[in-house]
Amino acid sequence: MGDYSGDNLVGHGVPELVLELNGQSWTLDASRTYTVGRDPQGDVTLDDARVSWRHATIRWTGEGWLLEDQGSTNGTFAGGQRVNEAAIAPGSAVNLGNATDGPRLGFTAADVPQPAAATAQPAARPAAAVQPAAAAPQAAAQPEAALPAWAGASAAGTAGPPAQPPAARGGDQPRQQTAGAAGAYSDRSPTTFHHLSAGRVIRIGRALENELVVSDLQVSRYHAEFHAHPDGRMEIVDLGSHNGTYVNGQPVDRHQIGPHDIVGVGHSTFRLVDDRLEEFVDTGAVSFSARRLTVNVPQGNTTKSILKDVSFGVPEKSLIGVIGPSGSGKSTLLRALTGYRPADVGEVLYDNRDLYKQFAELRQRIGLVPQDDILHKELSVRTALKYAAKLRFPGDTHAAERQARIDEVLRELKLDIHADKRITSLSGGQRKRVSVALELLTKPSLIFLDEPTSGLDPGMDRDVMQLLRGLADDGRTVLVVTHSVAELALCDRLLVMAPGGSMAYFGPPDEALNFFGYSSWADVFQAFENYRDYDWAGRWRGSQHYQMYTAHLDEAAPQVAPAMPSQVTRPQKSQSWGSQLWTLIARYTSVIASDRGFLALMLIMPAVLGVVSVVIPAKSGLGFGPANAHFANRDAGTILMILTVGACFSGSANSVRELIKERVIYERERAVGLSRSAYLMSKVIVLGLITALQGVIICAIGFTPRTMPTTGVVLHSHPAIEMTLGVIGIGFTSMMFGLVISALVKTAEKTMPLLVMFAIVQVVFTGVLFQIYAKPGIEQVAWLMPSRWAVAAMGTTVQLDTLLPWDPTDPDTLWKHSAGIWWADMIVLLALGVACGFAVARLLRRHEPEVMREK
């Protein structure tokens, strides 16, 4: 059972009914709608695998009580028969999941109505202001004339008389426009409330010892405290929580709150009303709207609008489809709606709260599934979700808690039978389910998907869209951008974008073709192409559909959010930096270990490069002996160059694809709290160790048959180790250069030409092919080349200034047989690598939500 076990849900002087289950009871209030299912944040929670996540709802219809099945998997049974709905009254009984032994809900009459504010009883999910969009009546607008008959007419001329929005369309109707607590929750009753008395401290968290227990894995065990001071002041104090405590969407350590402030802790928000603290639990039943969104991009000395004045609103538990031809701004719209690239004009409201201004808090309640899978395909489904849960949940979450949530999501999406399979072995539709599962871990109320059916056959297309329909029915708002039009009937609302980024239609999908006056979507898209200069947006704004579904949003005044002093805000603190780093290292190691091809290449490539260096003949001994009076030992320089370039190529090849292939994953994880520096450091550590191992292999093969110097300059008795450190150094710095390339390019195909160019440039500037020292211009350029310093470091050990004296009267000072010179060469070599690291960190900012880039 959930948090409401054994508690009565208090009524408001209207007919009441008592729900009984397993010896516990709930008094149902006729002014609310109650959810029954496995969801811990529902009103009546059952821990039974046969019961669906959102199995059924119970509500008062005005004439009697009604229990409605919400598309459950195993069904709802009354009188032994499976039913979609059942009228209930005292003496009724309903079974969930099985007609005979499924959990039994019994109903009796309430004895004596209890006063509404007698005690701080846990309340149920607030009743929706309206019924779901699917239940709304059809629009009264008649189909307008088809193109090209109306092509020359004005939009106003084609429009019928304005119609008022139907009363049943709650999410499509205007709401109060204040962003404070009163505005955000003026149409709801609190989930529960807590009386405050002077001097009282209420601690909130997951642990049972808290005065206010929140069963939400986004909340720390001891998260925050509400302090009621004797002088009447109310203060919220964060207790070092992992995911932060928020006031009006901004993270705070300590802040005095008033009646217009919203305090956010995980999926719960609180407001202060007189002497009590009201709690609202976000169970997914939230509205969503966009108002007058416009996105501009520079074009020469002016700007161009690629998204133009887009407005729409949807009620809770809706599935919204977005379609349109290429160039209609669908991807731009998606980035604007998610906050990844906020619109230049307009606002996005999540349950009447400004997403852009409160992104730090609200991003935890939004899921995004990009077109490319946000998965490491080398891992198994369970392992991929395990690492995702470690990164997204607080550090004080126990492994058993994370595993329970993973198992719950796998069962919900019917992935439990595939849990131990590698993601690469799954079908396209199943892989998309895994991407959705990853987002569902944190129970988002709003989910966006970008082209989830791209590349799928019609059967998988239907499977994915039915999955999304089920997600919406289970209590989430889902918005999907798609090119497929086969399953649009499953959507509650359809948004059609016209070329240039303007709206052409918004409303029920079954009215859309009539609105355009065509019988197929192929004809509509062809009309978009043939009449690109037509004022599609003007036609839309002159229509009855616009008046019914969108006009009120355009007429609403922008929100004015309560001001937050800048000195009280601090960056979001998810998991600790060290914890994230350790998880990222473990995940990256698992990915590499699962890629047998990479492991084989990692060992074969340095071995081949080491063998190549052995092939080079040497005139003096076996390579590094002294030069005679008549002939400099140029072979020694050639051998050092081959070793250096081999390590350079090996190191850069290790990393040159690592960031570009994970770009989509990084973008999404960064948006939910991933540390940029921890991510980069995990790459540096793992790839650095691999590169160091490769350097040892190259040197072990390359040095074994050679006559080595008798002494080193730093490790006097181990010159081979001293030279190996130089090879490892060039490998590390080249690996960092590879990361720069990977962060710069837009596609993986562009990495190889840049890799080859980088390796060739290193050959030229080693200082072995021709004299670089004391050559103005050339020498200064060579200072930026890792190979110059790597050859110099090894050259100090073998005394390359005497083996390869380009100018015996003025030898290269970087080759001097001196400990100080060796240290200088190595420090500069590694400094170049560190500089590359800062460059990569800077470049990674380009792939983050814009509202986060300054943090």
Side-chain angles (χ1 to χ4, degrees):
M1 296 301 299
D3 293 337
Y4 307 114
S5 299
D7 293 314
N8 289 336
L9 300 170
V10 184
H12 298 277
V14 291
E16 293 179 341
L17 188 71
V18 176
L19 164 64
E20 296 181 342
L21 174 68
N22 297 332
Q24 298 169 340
S25 63
W26 294 259
T27 300
L28 305 182
D29 180 347
S31 66
R32 300 180 182 277
T33 296
Y34 298 91
T35 61
V36 182
R38 295 197 334 270
D39 185 357
Q41 295 184 0
D43 302 316
V44 180
T45 305
L46 298 92
D47 187 12
D48 191 305
R50 295 169 296 181
V51 177
S52 295
W53 189 254
R54 293 290 178 89
H55 195 105
T57 59
I58 303 173
R59 64 184 178 90
W60 173 258
T61 65
E63 299 179 355
W65 288 94
L66 182 69
L67 185 147
E68 297 175 293
D69 187 274
Q70 298 297 307
S72 65
T73 301
N74 295 315
T76 300
F77 299 85
Q81 301 296 318
R82 183 164 182 167
V83 296
N84 291 324
E85 59 182 39
I88 51 177
S92 299
V94 175
N95 289 81
L96 306 182
N98 187 281
T100 56
D101 62 353
R104 183 179 183 275
L105 307 181
F107 299 92
T108 60
D111 295 332
V112 180
Q114 302 179 28
T119 58
Q121 298 287 357
R125 175 182 64 81
V130 296
Q131 296 304 316
Q138 297 298 317
Q142 296 298 319
E144 301 186 24
L147 281 173
W150 44 254
S154 67
T158 62
Q164 296 300 317
R169 301 187 191 279
D172 299 326
Q173 296 188 65
R175 301 176 64 182
Q176 288 198 14
Q177 303 307 308
T178 54
Y185 300 109
S186 58
D187 59 349
R188 296 187 183 183
S189 298
T191 304
T192 186
F193 56 86
H194 310 271
H195 287 289
L196 300 173
S197 56
R200 185 181 180 190
V201 175
I202 299 178
R203 188 173 59 188
I204 181 172
R206 292 197 334 269
L208 297 178
E209 304 87 65
N210 293 288
E211 288 78 13
L212 203 166
V213 179
V214 178
S215 57
D216 179 357
L217 291 183
Q218 293 287 82
V219 176
S220 298
R221 292 180 60 78
Y222 304 99
H223 196 103
E225 289 179 343
F226 290 101
H227 290 229
H229 295 285
D231 59 3
R233 292 182 299 112
M234 185 68 180
E235 191 175 35
I236 181 69
V237 179
D238 185 80
L239 300 179
S241 64
H242 292 277
N243 283 326
T245 301
Y246 300 84
V247 175
N248 302 326
Q250 302 302 313
V252 299
D253 288 319
R254 177 185 292 266
H255 188 69
Q256 183 174 331
I257 59 176
H260 297 292
D261 292 322
I262 297 176
V263 179
V265 175
H267 284 81
S268 296
T269 49
F270 303 85
R271 70 177 180 185
L272 188 63
V273 179
D274 298 327
D275 63 342
R276 70 179 186 179
L277 189 69
E278 295 187 344
E279 178 184 3
F280 300 82
V281 178
D282 184 348
T283 60
V286 298
S287 62
F288 180 75
S289 61
R291 299 181 180 175
R292 301 173 294 276
L293 298 184
T294 299
V295 174
N296 302 315
V297 295
Q299 190 175 53
N301 296 327
T302 61
T303 60
K304 176 185 178 182
S305 295
I306 58 175
L307 192 69
K308 301 175 183 177
D309 208 17
V310 174
S311 298
F312 67 92
V314 294
E316 61 190 48
K317 297 195 297 184
S318 297
L319 175 60
I320 307 98
V322 179
I323 63 172
S326 298
S328 60
K330 299 188 299 298
S331 296
T332 302
L333 174 63
L334 187 63
R335 297 181 73 84
L337 294 175
T338 56
Y340 274 48
R341 198 295 188 186
D344 299 297
V345 179
E347 57 188 0
V348 176
L349 300 183
Y350 173 100
D351 210 26
N352 213 39
R353 299 175 64 186
D354 193 312
L355 175 64
Y356 295 161
K357 296 178 181 178
Q358 304 187 30
F359 184 79
E361 175 188 356
L362 297 180
R363 66 180 179 178
Q364 301 180 39
R365 308 188 193 182
I366 295 175
L368 173 61
V369 181
Q371 182 174 349
D372 297 325
D373 292 329
I374 46 177
L375 306 160
H376 290 91
K377 298 178 183 179
E378 300 84 359
L379 302 177
S380 69
V381 173
R382 191 184 302 278
T383 301
L385 295 181
K386 180 188 73 172
Y387 286 120
K390 282 186 177 181
L391 288 172
R392 298 191 181 197
F393 290 140
D396 61 2
T397 306
H398 296 150
E401 293 177 291
R402 292 194 299 267
Q403 190 57 54
R405 179 58 187 155
I406 291 171
D407 292 341
E408 191 173 45
V409 170
L410 289 174
R411 288 194 300 269
E412 181 180 2
L413 297 183
K414 298 180 176 61
L415 285 170
D416 44 342
I417 60 175
H418 304 294
D420 297 316
K421 296 179 182 178
R422 291 180 63 176
I423 296 173
T424 51
S425 67
L426 301 179
S427 66
Q430 290 168 343
R431 285 200 301 270
K432 192 59 63 177
R433 282 178 177 266
V434 179
S435 292
V436 173
L438 189 149
E439 291 300 310
L440 291 186
L441 287 174
T442 55
K443 297 184 179 180
S445 303
L446 185 62
I447 304 177
F448 295 92
L449 300 99
D450 187 9
E451 301 286 359
T453 61
S454 178
L456 302 183
D457 61 46
M460 289 185 178
D461 181 357
R462 173 176 295 180
D463 179 69
V464 171
M465 290 300 293
Q466 288 177 339
L467 166 67
L468 303 184
R469 177 70 264 172
L471 293 178
D473 292 339
D474 277 347
R476 307 171 182 92
T477 299
V478 182
L479 186 145
V480 53
V481 174
T482 180
H483 278 299
S484 174
V485 297
E487 304 298 332
L488 293 180
L490 292 172
C491 299
D492 297 304
R493 292 289 185 271
L494 179 65
L495 171 61
V496 182
M497 300 295 293
S502 59
M503 290 181 66
Y505 173 82
F506 178 75
D510 55 356
E511 299 175 18
L513 287 176
N514 284 336
F515 176 87
F516 289 106
Y518 287 106
S519 59
S520 72
W521 283 108
D523 293 332
V524 175
F525 278 51
Q526 188 175 36
F528 283 148
E529 181 63 28
N530 294 338
Y531 302 93
R532 297 186 70 89
D533 296 330
Y534 182 77
D535 186 9
W536 295 99
R539 180 176 185 271
W540 156 247
R541 291 182 180 278
S543 69
Q544 291 179 333
H545 280 75
Y546 171 77
Q547 294 297 327
M548 285 189 289
Y549 299 111
T550 305
H552 61 276
L553 295 173
D554 286 339
E555 296 165 0
Q559 281 194 352
V560 178
M564 285 290 295
S566 59
Q567 64 267 23
V568 302
T569 61
R570 60 172 174 79
Q572 154 110 18
K573 180 174 64 175
S574 52
Q575 276 198 340
S576 68
W577 188 88
S579 179
Q580 283 196 9
L581 176 63
W582 181 253
T583 300
L584 290 166
I585 289 175
R587 183 178 68 179
Y588 193 27
T589 302
S590 296
V591 170
I592 291 175
S594 300
D595 190 344
R596 297 180 180 177
F598 179 82
L599 288 175
L601 184 62
M602 181 186 72
L603 297 175
I604 293 173
M605 183 166 59
V608 171
L609 295 172
V611 171
V612 169
S613 71
V614 174
V615 173
I616 300 172
K619 294 182 174 63
S620 177
L622 290 176
F624 300 119
N628 57 40
H630 304 288
F631 189 84
N633 186 1
R634 300 187 184 277
D635 294 327
T638 304
I639 295 169
L640 294 184
M641 180 183 71
I642 294 299
L643 292 172
T644 297
V645 174
C648 170
F649 186 83
S650 180
S652 55
N654 287 339
S655 61
V656 76
R657 291 177 179 265
E658 290 307 300
L659 299 183
I660 182 64
K661 75 179 184 181
E662 289 188 358
R663 183 159 296 171
V664 176
I665 297 175
Y666 173 75
E667 287 180 357
R668 181 63 195 130
E669 291 184 340
R670 177 64 176 148
V672 294
L674 179 69
S675 166
R676 182 195 309 144
S677 58
Y679 175 78
L680 177 56
M681 188 57 67
S682 69
K683 298 293 184 185
V684 171
I685 291 174
V686 176
L687 291 175
L689 291 174
I690 292 173
T691 302
L693 174 61
Q694 291 175 328
V696 171
I697 294 174
I698 291 174
C699 292
I701 296 175
F703 290 162
T704 299
R706 304 292 184 186
T707 299
M708 301 303 295
T710 57
T711 182
V713 293
V714 175
L715 303 175
H716 300 287
S717 58
H718 301 287
I721 296 178
E722 188 174 282
M723 295 173 68
T724 300
L725 292 176
V727 172
I728 292 174
I730 179 64
F732 171 81
T733 301
S734 298
M735 179 266 293
M736 298 302 295
F737 268 91
L739 289 178
V740 172
I741 294 173
S742 192
L744 274 172
V745 299
K746 293 184 178 180
T747 62
E749 290 75 17
K750 295 180 180 179
T751 59
M752 292 311 296
L754 293 175
L755 173 62
V756 173
M757 182 179 68
F758 173 70
I760 291 175
V761 170
Q762 299 312 305
V763 173
V764 173
F765 287 96
T766 56
V768 173
L769 293 180
F770 61 92
Q771 182 177 348
I772 289 178
Y773 175 66
K775 296 291 184 181
I778 296 178
E779 181 177 21
Q780 285 68 42
V781 172
W783 290 345
L784 301 176
M785 303 299 163
S787 62
R788 167 66 166 148
W789 300 98
V791 169
M794 290 187 286
T796 60
T797 303
V798 302
Q799 301 183 52
L800 201 59
D801 56 338
T802 61
L803 291 177
L804 186 60
W806 292 109
D807 184 354
T809 63
D810 187 17
D812 194 333
T813 56
L814 296 183
W815 294 351
K816 185 178 179 181
H817 191 66
S818 164
I821 296 297
W822 186 90
W823 279 112
D825 292 337
M826 290 296 295
I827 289 173
V828 174
L829 176 61
L830 297 177
L832 288 174
V834 173
C836 287
F838 284 105
V840 174
R842 188 73 180 175
L843 291 170
L844 282 174
R845 294 176 66 254
R846 302 184 306 165
H847 310 296
E848 301 172 1
E850 288 191 9
V851 293
M852 298 179 61
R853 292 185 184 178
E854 298 304 320
K855 297 182 179 180

